[in-house]
Amino acid sequence: MTQPRSVRPFYRPMRPHRRDEPHRAATPLELFFDLCFVVAVAQAATSLHHFLAEGHLAHAVTGYVMVFFAIWWSWVNFTWFASAYDTDDDVYRITTLVQILGALILAAGVPRAFGDNDFTVITYGYVVMRLAAVVHWSRAAVGDPAHRAAARRYAIGVTVVQLGWLLRLLLPPEWGLASFVLLALADVLVPAVAERPGMTPWHPAHITERYGLFTLIVLGEAVAAVSLAIQDGLDAGEHDLWLLAASGAVIVFALWWLYFDRRNEAPDRLPYSLVWGYGHYLIFAAIAGVGAGLGVSVDHARHLAHISERTAGYAVAVPVAVFLLTVWVLHVRRQQHGAVVVAFPVVALLTLLAPLGPAPVYVLAALLVALVAVTVLLRRRDVGQSTTVAAAA
């Protein structure tokens, strides 16, 4: 006899997932959420590429840091909430789609933020995403008595900070950076305060998967940025860019290898989970920044960039170094020992020296390939030694 198909409810109480729930994996809604954020990441990286190539270095970096914070923080908050409370009822889906709409509004405002220092549209999109998150947290406060205090603190804290972001639009332009720093600090302090009564039941393995998936998205954006820059060169009849394209691809491949070379599971204790989660801002922003920097290097090779070869080299070297040092702090130092722990900061230093010589992109590719080779060889050596010791015992 055919069993009746289950029907997803319009609304169900928002009960928490177990932290040790088996087979916890990303849902189609979470994957859709990530893919929609690609638009915002692409807009930020494209604007960074353009302003770096034009020589507006301080403006480019400042604008990128601010815009990417809005993208990253909205993604982070949904990701950790969904890990604990994804009910997949219709109300939850609709509320999440509103958050996605906010991401699209934010993406539409990126060019204006970079070009005119006008963050109005970005702020509106950001506030839409964050107030939709307040709906999620309010539901959690009702449906999960054990974590009601934390959920209420989230809902109140997020609401108050969003009011601050809207009021920031009324401030004179010269207060823009200082007010951004103040409100960004307030935003990131909300989880630290809210989780103190008792951590919400996010799933460490699920969080690890979600961060890995977003890392793949920004890596894909870096590959796309290089591909489009090369395509523009080929369309213009410049066919001598293949070696530069290959070097750029090697750099992106090496970043993927170094991030996914070990199991980078999110810690399950509050202080370091915050460090781990927040530290990934630098990883995500650096990877997208590498794509923008490689695009700048292509523009320089085509004589379209208004900067020196050294500056074009640093457009790649700086984000690569930031990536290496952050992966070293968050992952390598916690899990490995010996020469590998030393290799990451050493290569990061050499990366920053590479633009002082000729052909910096090629040198960076060689340095990263060497670091990958070192990590692979030393890992195999350590495994072999452990096997030998175990057999002797």
Side-chain angles (χ1 to χ4, degrees):
M1 182 176 179
T2 303
Q3 297 292 326
R5 295 177 61 186
S6 62
V7 179
R8 185 181 60 257
F10 176 77
Y11 178 89
R12 63 159 60 100
M14 187 164 273
R15 308 299 188 199
H17 288 275
R18 299 199 332 264
R19 290 176 64 86
D20 60 348
E21 179 182 328
H23 311 299
R24 187 82 167 89
T27 66
L29 181 59
E30 289 176 309
L31 298 177
F32 183 49
F33 188 89
D34 290 358
L35 289 175
C36 289
F37 266 72
V38 171
V39 180
V41 173
Q43 287 277 38
T46 299
S47 296
L48 176 64
H49 168 187
H50 172 73
F51 281 92
L52 286 176
E54 291 295 321
H56 306 300
L57 305 184
H59 178 79
V61 174
T62 302
Y64 181 69
V65 168
M66 296 168 70
V67 168
F68 205 91
F69 172 83
I71 299 168
W72 162 79
W73 190 239
S74 300
W75 179 88
V76 163
N77 280 266
F78 170 76
T79 296
W80 289 73
F81 178 88
S83 183
Y85 291 109
D86 183 357
T87 56
D88 196 36
D89 57 21
D90 291 346
V91 173
Y92 178 82
R93 287 188 171 196
I94 292 169
T95 307
T96 302
L97 293 176
V98 171
Q99 290 181 284
I100 292 174
L101 177 62
L104 299 179
I105 296 172
L106 187 154
V110 170
R112 185 176 297 179
F114 270 90
D116 303 326
N117 202 31
D118 181 358
F119 283 80
T120 303
V121 176
I122 279 186
T123 301
Y124 289 158
Y126 182 74
V127 170
V128 167
M129 287 188 287
R130 303 296 284 128
L131 291 182
V134 172
V135 175
H136 283 324
W137 282 115
S138 299
R139 289 187 60 193
V142 173
D144 181 16
H147 300 94
R148 181 166 295 158
R152 284 176 174 172
R153 291 190 184 193
Y154 270 112
I156 294 171
V158 171
T159 301
V160 170
V161 176
Q162 298 328 294
L163 178 61
W165 285 113
L166 290 173
L167 292 176
R168 177 178 179 270
L169 298 177
L170 304 177
L171 297 176
E174 57 268 23
W175 292 11
L177 182 58
S179 60
F180 167 82
V181 172
L182 180 63
L183 287 167
L185 287 174
D187 242 338
V188 299
L189 282 174
V190 169
V193 174
E195 296 276 350
R196 290 183 64 187
M199 286 194 302
T200 51
W202 44 267
H203 194 292
H206 178 241
I207 289 293
T208 302
E209 179 193 23
R210 299 289 290 112
Y211 271 69
L213 289 172
F214 201 74
T215 301
L216 291 175
I217 282 177
V218 289
L219 283 167
E221 171 54 36
V223 171
V226 178
S227 177
L228 290 174
I230 298 298
Q231 177 184 325
D232 289 343
L234 295 177
D235 290 343
E238 301 176 23
H239 298 279
D240 56 347
L241 300 173
W242 293 112
L243 185 56
L244 183 60
S247 298
V250 167
I251 289 173
V252 177
F253 296 164
L255 299 184
W256 169 84
W257 191 298
L258 294 168
Y259 183 88
F260 290 101
D261 189 47
R262 63 198 61 76
R263 181 171 178 79
N264 302 318
E265 185 162 318
D268 58 1
R269 295 186 178 182
L270 180 60
Y272 195 74
S273 67
L274 293 175
V275 173
W276 188 92
Y278 292 178
H280 272 75
Y281 167 81
L282 296 174
I283 291 177
F284 296 154
I287 294 173
V290 168
L294 289 170
V296 171
S297 294
V298 173
D299 286 353
H300 182 271
R302 297 178 58 202
H303 308 290
L304 298 178
H306 301 94
I307 53 176
S308 65
E309 181 182 25
R310 178 175 298 178
T311 302
Y314 274 115
V316 184
V318 170
V320 167
V322 170
F323 172 89
L324 292 177
L325 290 174
T326 309
V327 170
W328 175 65
V329 170
L330 298 183
H331 299 158
V332 177
R333 289 180 60 202
R334 294 180 61 238
Q335 301 180 23
Q336 297 182 245
H337 60 276
V340 173
V341 178
V342 177
F344 270 76
V346 168
V347 173
L349 175 61
L350 294 176
T351 293
L352 293 175
L353 296 176
L356 299 178
V361 172
Y362 305 143
V363 175
L364 290 171
L367 287 171
L368 290 174
V369 168
L371 180 58
V372 169
V374 167
T375 59
V376 170
L377 292 174
L378 291 177
R379 178 182 291 272
R380 290 182 177 177
R381 185 201 65 182
D382 293 342
V383 170
Q385 291 177 347
S386 299
T387 303
T388 302
V389 171

